[in-house]
């Protein structure tokens, strides 16, 4: 039977076109598969990052924004600080530590929430929830621990120094220079499970002194259970990055509550020099 060259050439061209179509289909499927795989990988990595950030924020560290002047000049308005949540659960709180705690009740005035729109508000709240944005500190306060459970704290001696368990402490290393002009008198014993806290800017700090109408320390002190953690470092702005010292040396000579009499005796003995 005779072979038609034109027919054979047409068949060959059609076969070639079919192979090209198949190759393009395979290439398209391969690209789609690779793109789908890449998207899945990105989603998994982001999900893991969010979960890790949430775990870190919940159990280890959390960033907070400083909204007020009560801790000046140690902390300024707008500073961002990192708080270790190992305290007080795993690491004890000491005198001199700077702690963030939940509002014990009516310490803070209501702050109107800035409305950036439902979408932006939702994104901001979600990022704060997982720890990718610093907490705006709404509902939280930051102060320095002056008295531990059982401590007797009093203001002030003739030189304007606080007395802790009968021992005068010199706070000039962290107090705002003009703060020593404000000497609101008090004489309290810190109840068990609570802390007596004060701001470094004593002239502009609504702290334990102003929330203790009974003058016993029972209301002005803060329950340790309300402590979120201990502020350990300033991370923003860049020119203020640095570790936050707890200044425990200020309290080195303070005796334990049970040794208060010894502390008082030591303070009352005249110097022989």
């Amino acid at each position: 039977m005779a072979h038609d060259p034109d027919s054979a050439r047409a068949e060959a061209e059609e076969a070639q076109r079919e192979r090209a179509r198949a190759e393009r289909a395979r290439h398209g499927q391969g690209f789609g598969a690779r793109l789908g795989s890449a998207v899945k990988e990105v989603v998994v990595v982001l999900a893991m990052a969010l979960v890790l950030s949430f775990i870190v924020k919940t159990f280890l560290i959390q960033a907070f924004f400083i909204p007020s002047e009560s801790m000046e000049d140690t902390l300024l308005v707008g500073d961002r600080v990192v708080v270790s949540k190992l305290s007080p659960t795993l690491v004890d709180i000491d005198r001199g530590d700077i702690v963030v705690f939940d509002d014990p009740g009516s310490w803070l005035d209501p702050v109107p929430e800035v409305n950036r729109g439902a979408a932006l508000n939702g994104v901001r709240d979600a990022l704060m929830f997982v720890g990718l944005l610093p907490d705006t500190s709404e509902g939280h306060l930051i102060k320095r621990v002056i008295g531990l459970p059982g401590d007797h704290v009093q203001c002030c001696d003739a030189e304007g120094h606080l007395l802790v368990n009968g021992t005068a402490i010199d706070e000039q290393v962290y107090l705002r220079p003009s703060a020593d002009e404000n000497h609101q008198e008090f004489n309290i014993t810190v109840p068990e499970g609570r802390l007596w806290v004060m701001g470094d800017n004593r002239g502009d700090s609504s702290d334990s002194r102003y929330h203790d109408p009974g003058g016993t320390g029972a209301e002005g002190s803060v329950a340790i259970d309300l402590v979120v953690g201990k502020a350990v470092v300033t991370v923003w702005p860049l020119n203020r990055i640095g570790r936050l010292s707890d200044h425990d040396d200020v309290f080195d000579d303070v005796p334990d509550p049970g040794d208060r009499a010894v502390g008082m005796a030591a303070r009352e003995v005249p110097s022989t020099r």
Side-chain angles (χ1 to χ4, degrees):
M1 184 174 65
H3 183 72
D4 184 353
D6 292 338
S7 177
R9 187 166 52 252
E11 290 176 358
E13 290 175 352
E14 179 62 29
Q16 187 176 359
R17 286 193 293 271
E18 186 63 32
R19 285 194 298 271
R21 284 194 295 269
E23 182 63 26
R24 286 195 298 270
R26 284 194 299 270
H27 179 74
Q29 290 173 355
F31 175 77
R34 291 194 297 272
L35 179 61
S37 177
V39 170
K40 288 180 182 178
E41 188 171 336
V42 170
V43 170
V44 169
V45 170
L46 288 176
M48 291 177 62
L50 291 174
V51 170
L52 180 60
S53 177
F54 177 74
I55 291 173
V56 169
K57 172 238 179 182
T58 303
F59 299 105
L60 297 177
I61 61 173
Q62 183 176 357
F64 282 87
F65 171 86
I66 302 302
S68 75
E69 302 160 349
S70 68
M71 285 296 292
E72 289 183 350
D73 292 321
T74 305
L75 295 171
L76 306 180
V77 174
D79 282 356
R80 270 72 164 174
V81 298
V82 170
V83 170
S84 168
K85 293 194 169 184
L86 298 180
S87 298
T89 307
L90 299 177
V91 179
D92 289 339
I93 294 174
D94 294 321
R95 304 181 190 96
D97 287 350
I98 298 174
V99 294
V100 171
F101 54 95
D102 293 326
D103 185 1
S106 71
W107 280 37
L108 291 171
D109 294 328
V111 178
E113 184 175 348
V114 178
N115 187 1
R116 300 178 176 86
L120 289 179
N121 286 342
V123 171
R124 181 201 61 182
D125 293 344
L127 291 177
M128 283 195 300
F129 178 74
V130 298
L132 294 179
L133 275 183
D135 196 294
T136 57
S137 300
E138 294 175 9
H140 295 88
L141 298 100
I142 184 166
K143 305 292 179 189
R144 191 178 298 274
V145 176
I146 302 299
L148 299 175
D151 280 347
H152 177 249
V153 187
Q154 182 179 356
C155 179
C156 291
D157 67 6
E159 287 74 38
H161 297 142
L162 290 181
L163 301 171
V164 182
N165 296 334
T167 299
I169 57 174
D170 186 353
E171 302 179 276
Q172 291 184 19
V173 66
Y174 54 75
L175 283 186
R176 188 172 183 178
S178 61
D180 58 356
E181 298 174 5
N182 187 315
H183 298 311
Q184 178 177 336
E185 294 186 1
F186 60 88
N187 188 344
I188 63 94
T189 297
V190 185
E192 285 302 312
R194 302 180 74 87
L195 305 169
W196 188 261
V197 297
M198 299 175 70
D200 290 355
N201 184 4
R202 297 284 160 82
D204 188 14
S205 176
S206 180
D207 48 40
S208 289
R209 299 168 295 170
Y210 294 94
H211 299 279
D212 196 58
T216 64
E219 296 173 82
S221 56
V222 175
I224 294 177
D225 291 344
L226 294 179
V227 174
V228 174
K230 172 183 171 181
V232 293
V233 64
T234 305
V235 295
W236 187 264
L238 295 178
N239 64 343
R240 288 183 49 76
I241 290 178
R243 179 177 175 273
L244 286 171
S245 174
D246 50 22
H247 292 298
D248 53 355
D249 53 318
V250 171
F251 300 85
D252 278 348
D253 296 331
V254 174
D256 292 335
D259 298 328
R260 179 188 165 208
V262 175
M264 292 181 66
R267 181 171 57 87
E268 293 169 357
V269 173
S271 172
T272 56
R273 288 181 293 179

